[in-house]
Every structure is written in C-alpha cells, then in structure tokens.
Amino acid sequence: MSTIGAYFRLARVGWVLVREGVVSALPSDGLPAMVGVAKSAAGLLTRKRAKREERSDRLARAVERLGPSYVKIGQFLATRPDVVGADFAEDLSGLQDRMAFFPTDAARASIRESLGRSVDDLYVSFGEPIAAASIAQVHPAEVETTEGRRKVAVKVIRPGVRRRFAADLEAMYLVSHLQERFLPHTRRLKPVEVTKTLEQTTKVEMDLRLEAAALSEIAENTRNDPGFRVPEVDWERTGRDVVTMEWIDGIKMSDVEALKAAGHDLDQLADTLIQSFLRHTLRDGFFHADMHPGNLFVAPDGMIVAVDMGIAGRLGKKERRFLAEILYGFITRDYLRVAEVHFEAGYVPSHHNVASFAQAIRAIGEPIHGQPAETISMGKLLTLLFEVTELFDMATRPELVMLQKTMVVVEGVARMLNPRFNMWKASDPVVSGWIRDNLGPKRIATDLKDGMKAAFRLAEAVPEIAAKTEKFHAEIMQMSENGLRFDAETADAIGKAEARHSRSGRLALWIIAFALVAIAIQIG
C-alpha cells in the first residue's frame, strides 16, 4: 500500500508543478515531439499569475506549496547540478529555508521528551523562536554556569518532520526507479543512489546529536587555526531532538555594509574564509557543506564563526589527493597528469584513451590561463571538469559534487567581500603546503606506514578468513553433489510473496486509473 501512496503523492507533486508553471518552463530541446505536446497541455493548466513569473519564482512557489520536506529536497538537489542541470540547480539554490514558527509549547514538549527533563529545569530562561527552517527552529535561552548566566541558542526539531519526510521520500524513490528503468542514459547519474544519499544526509540532519558531534569534531580540527571557529556545544542539554550551543554575537557575513561599519578587513576575511575551507577539505577531509553567508558570522574580534553543521561532507585520502593533483595539474598546465589521475582513481573507465581525455582537459585549462587570476573561479573549473567527464562515462561521485558545490558557494562569499578576490593567490599557502607534505617524499613514508598497518590487520584476520573459506568450499561441494534445494516453507513463502506483489501491483494500477478518470471529469 505504501507504493500506492507514493503514486498518489507523486501525482500531487506533478499537479502542483503543472499549476505553478514549472512543467511548462522545463527545457525540451532535443527531446521527442510528445514532450512539446505535454508542455503545451501543461501550459493550459498553469495559473495565470505563474505565467508572468520567472522560472525560479515558479519553482520556489511550487516547493513552498508542497511543504517543508520538499524545501529540503530542493536544497539537496541544488547541490547536484549533474542530476538536475546547472540552470535548475541555480534556481533551487535560491530556495529560502524560512518556514513558519511552530508553537513554543511543542518545542518545550520535544525538549522534555528528548532530554527527560523540563525546560524550567534545564534553562534559567527560554524565549520565543527567532528563526525557523524546514527541519528545526531556534530559541534564545539562558543557562546557569559556575561563571554565571550564559546565553545559549537552542535548536529544536520540528514536530512530525521525520514522518512527513519519510512519506515524501517514497515518491522520490519511485521517480528514481522509473528514471533508471525508462531513461537508460541517465543511469550514469545513479538516481537511486542520489535518493539514498538524500535519505542518509537528511536522517543525519534530523538527529541533532550528530550535528553536535560534527561541531565538536570540527572544533577539535580547527583548535589552532587562525581566524575560524564554531560554536561550543552544551552536551548536557543536547539530545536527538534538541541541541544547545553557544550564542554567537556577531555580524552575518551577508551584511557587508555592517562589516565595513564595524571596521573589519573584508579582504582578510575573504582570504581567511577560503583558506579555512581548504584546510578542512585537504587536511581534515571533513568540511562544512552549507557555508552560505547566512551561516557565517564575524565576531567582534574578527573571528569567522560558522553555524548550522547539519550538512557536512567527507573526503577520503584518495579523493583529497585527487583534488590536489587536479588543481596542481591545472596550475602547471600538466593536462596529461590530470587525465592520468582520473584513470588511477578509477573515476573514468579504463577502456577510454588517456591522451584523448587529456585533450578534453586541455580545452578547459588553456582558456583559463589567458585570464587574469582574479577572474578564475576554482568552483567553475571543477564544474567544467565534471561536464567534460560526462563524455567519458565518469560515474557520479556524490562527495566530489558536494565539494564542488560548496566551493562555488564559499568562493562566491569571498568575492562578495572582495570583488577582486584572487582565489589562486589566497589558496596557494594551503594547497602548496598540502601538496608538499602529501605528494612528495612524505607521501611515500605515509603510504608505507598505512601499508604496514593494513598488512598487520590482514595477518590478524587470516585464521578467520581460512575458516570461512573452508566452510564455503564445503557448502559448494555439497551443492555440486546434491543440487540447490528449497525446503517446503521457503518455496511456499516465495509463492505467497509473488502473488501478493502481483495483486498489489494490479490494485495500484486500477486505483491510479480511477483517480485519473476523476481528475479528467473535474477538469472537463
């Protein structure tokens, strides 16, 4: 029955997209003629107001009508231009995660249920909400400490959001499965895996203990970094549905005029921001993946403070080396090495020609070297790179796409602070230092050390591997002699499952057919 519900939810999504003019605004170049006919039909059902709006406004209005979970889905898809296209990713990136407040009494009840203590026991004062998003809202509060009263920010999960998101996610899975089945050329983008990534990242974001853990981890990583920090977590008042953290008194990085009035050095802030992001990415392999200007504050002492760690990205050692070697290869114009890195990492299938791929890489790199350094965008470079890799069957790498999207955002914030921001000059101390330590002689020593550790772990596991191999061999020999058999209970269960699946599928089709007839009658 959940599949039937997914079909109906999907029908509702389609209807809202049609009514708000999103479907009629979709590009149809190169698609079958029937697509144009469908767009024309959708245009007849579009609201008159929507026809006068820009496509991004139509999309924002449609997502707003669909509800909070679709805001989150839209924001996630904005990080995947490889899936939805660059234009729609840009439209989705403008979605505002500002929702109506839910009652303070509901927030108090969530805190009691999550922490097992009342709000009055936990906080000296607890104020009305000051900000609300699709997943949670924030309340100002005060706590009593040994040093006196201290102001804190309390983030509380929106009631019912998990149940609503789980239901909407079923429709997303349905779309991704249909896409893989009927649009074979899109399988390279792994739509089902994209949906799984969305499910996982949102589950993490909805468990505020994990956001607190991310804040704690990045605080440890950046303890000695200049000019950057994150809020301190109050673990005593943190649970699955609530996180309490240090209150940040500062100026939002989006308020450039206020930063100037406060006497902050905007050029220095831009350099510090990009260098901090690259340290987190290359050195730590763990970065804040939602660093838009609304999540960045500048404290009175000039320190950048990043908040809202609900979305974070991780890069393994291989991915970090891949990124560094690519950037270094473009800087030195060693396009063959950039191509070789893609093949060594296994990102481009081995049946392609390395030299041909290097030729495509050159087409990206050479125009860049003819531009002033301050106009070259590292994020744009990676975007062009991913577009070229599509021609060579490079499978989607979610962690690299998230990195690319975050880099575009961070670089945009830096250029907002300093319009003549030179990305390469600012990043050189971090990137060069990492390359020197990890792609030179130190890399060999590190690889040998890691290899020795792996060899010791393998040696410890050899007895268990041998025992499992012997057991598996015995089972194979038994099957070869006696054949593969099912007991009566297993065969009966398989038969019932097939029959149930067939009945539910037919029932779903009939219900959908009746629903479509009803809609047609209403429209007529």
Side-chain angles (χ1 to χ4, degrees), residues 68-100:
S69 56
Y70 280 94
V71 173
K72 187 52 61 182
I73 290 171
Q75 290 176 328
F76 172 81
L77 291 177
T79 69
R80 301 304 305 269
D82 57 320
V83 175
V84 299
D87 291 339
F88 263 86
E90 185 175 350
D91 291 343
L92 288 167
S93 65
L95 288 177
Q96 297 297 307
D97 199 2
R98 292 196 296 267
M99 309 298 295

Side-chain angles (χ1 to χ4, degrees), residues 333-392:
R333 303 174 76 171
D334 189 349
Y335 305 119
L336 180 60
R337 180 56 191 154
V338 174
E340 288 172 346
V341 169
H342 280 78
F343 281 82
E344 290 171 6
Y347 294 154
V348 175
S350 58
H351 65 267
H352 285 289
N353 184 275
V354 177
S356 296
F357 188 56
Q359 179 184 352
I361 298 298
R362 182 181 291 274
I364 298 172
E366 284 304 294
I368 288 175
H369 282 282
Q371 298 179 28
E374 62 268 18
T375 66
I376 302 174
S377 165
M378 191 181 292
K380 182 65 174 177
L381 172 67
L382 292 179
T383 301
L384 292 172
L385 181 63
F386 292 154
E387 288 177 359
V388 167
T389 55
E390 181 180 356
L391 302 174
F392 291 84

Side-chain angles (χ1 to χ4, degrees), residues 336-463:
L336 180 60
R337 180 56 191 154
V338 174
E340 288 172 346
V341 169
H342 280 78
F343 281 82
E344 290 171 6
Y347 294 154
V348 175
S350 58
H351 65 267
H352 285 289
N353 184 275
V354 177
S356 296
F357 188 56
Q359 179 184 352
I361 298 298
R362 182 181 291 274
I364 298 172
E366 284 304 294
I368 288 175
H369 282 282
Q371 298 179 28
E374 62 268 18
T375 66
I376 302 174
S377 165
M378 191 181 292
K380 182 65 174 177
L381 172 67
L382 292 179
T383 301
L384 292 172
L385 181 63
F386 292 154
E387 288 177 359
V388 167
T389 55
E390 181 180 356
L391 302 174
F392 291 84
D393 304 318
M394 176 173 166
T396 295
R397 303 292 304 184
E399 69 279 10
L400 295 178
V401 176
M402 180 177 281
L403 168 70
Q404 175 259 329
K405 182 66 178 180
T406 308
M407 188 174 288
V408 169
V409 173
V410 174
E411 193 172 10
V413 176
R415 293 192 191 279
M416 180 183 70
L417 297 171
N418 175 13
R420 295 187 59 80
F421 176 70
N422 186 327
M423 177 73 171
W424 302 98
K425 183 178 179 181
S427 62
D428 181 65
V430 178
V431 176
S432 297
W434 195 90
I435 288 174
R436 183 176 59 253
D437 292 342
N438 292 273
L439 300 183
K442 286 187 178 180
R443 170 183 176 176
I444 299 174
T446 301
D447 287 348
L448 287 173
K449 182 180 177 181
D450 292 343
M452 290 295 291
K453 287 181 180 178
F456 279 122
R457 285 196 297 269
L458 180 61
E460 291 174 350
V462 164

Side-chain angles (χ1 to χ4, degrees), residues 123 143 152-154 232-234 237-238 242-246:
Y123 306 99
V143 297
V152 294
V154 185
E232 181 183 348
V233 175
D234 182 342
R237 298 171 178 85
T238 293
V242 55
V243 58
T244 303
M245 66 189 81
E246 169 192 2

Side-chain angles (χ1 to χ4, degrees), residues 135-169:
I135 285 180
Q137 71 182 24
V138 178
H139 295 256
E142 289 182 321
V143 297
E144 196 69 60
T145 69
T146 55
E147 300 173 355
R149 287 193 180 187
R150 183 164 62 97
K151 191 174 183 180
V152 294
V154 185
K155 186 175 180 180
V156 187
I157 285 288
R158 183 177 290 276
V161 69
R162 293 187 183 89
R163 183 175 63 255
R164 174 69 183 271
F165 185 80
D168 291 335
L169 198 64

Side-chain angles (χ1 to χ4, degrees), residues 103-217:
T104 300
D105 288 343
R108 287 173 171 267
S110 293
I111 293 172
R112 172 183 279 280
E113 185 177 347
S114 184
L115 301 180
R117 297 165 62 187
S118 70
V119 168
D120 294 335
D121 288 341
L122 293 163
Y123 306 99
V124 177
S125 66
F126 188 82
E128 294 297 314
I130 56 171
S134 55
I135 285 180
Q137 71 182 24
V138 178
H139 295 256
E142 289 182 321
V143 297
E144 196 69 60
T145 69
T146 55
E147 300 173 355
R149 287 193 180 187
R150 183 164 62 97
K151 191 174 183 180
V152 294
V154 185
K155 186 175 180 180
V156 187
I157 285 288
R158 183 177 290 276
V161 69
R162 293 187 183 89
R163 183 175 63 255
R164 174 69 183 271
F165 185 80
D168 291 335
L169 198 64
E170 287 184 2
M172 283 286 293
Y173 269 115
L174 177 60
V175 170
S176 59
H177 281 293
L178 291 174
Q179 183 180 349
E180 286 199 351
R181 182 176 179 182
F182 295 109
L183 299 172
H185 66 280
T186 66
R187 290 173 187 164
R188 181 188 71 87
L189 303 175
K190 302 179 181 178
V192 175
E193 270 193 36
V194 169
T195 306
K196 287 180 180 177
T197 304
L198 167 63
E199 181 180 19
Q200 179 61 29
T201 55
T202 308
K203 281 182 177 178
V204 169
E205 195 172 354
M206 289 180 183
D207 189 334
L208 297 185
R209 294 170 299 188
L210 299 181
E211 179 176 350
L215 283 168
S216 176
E217 181 176 348

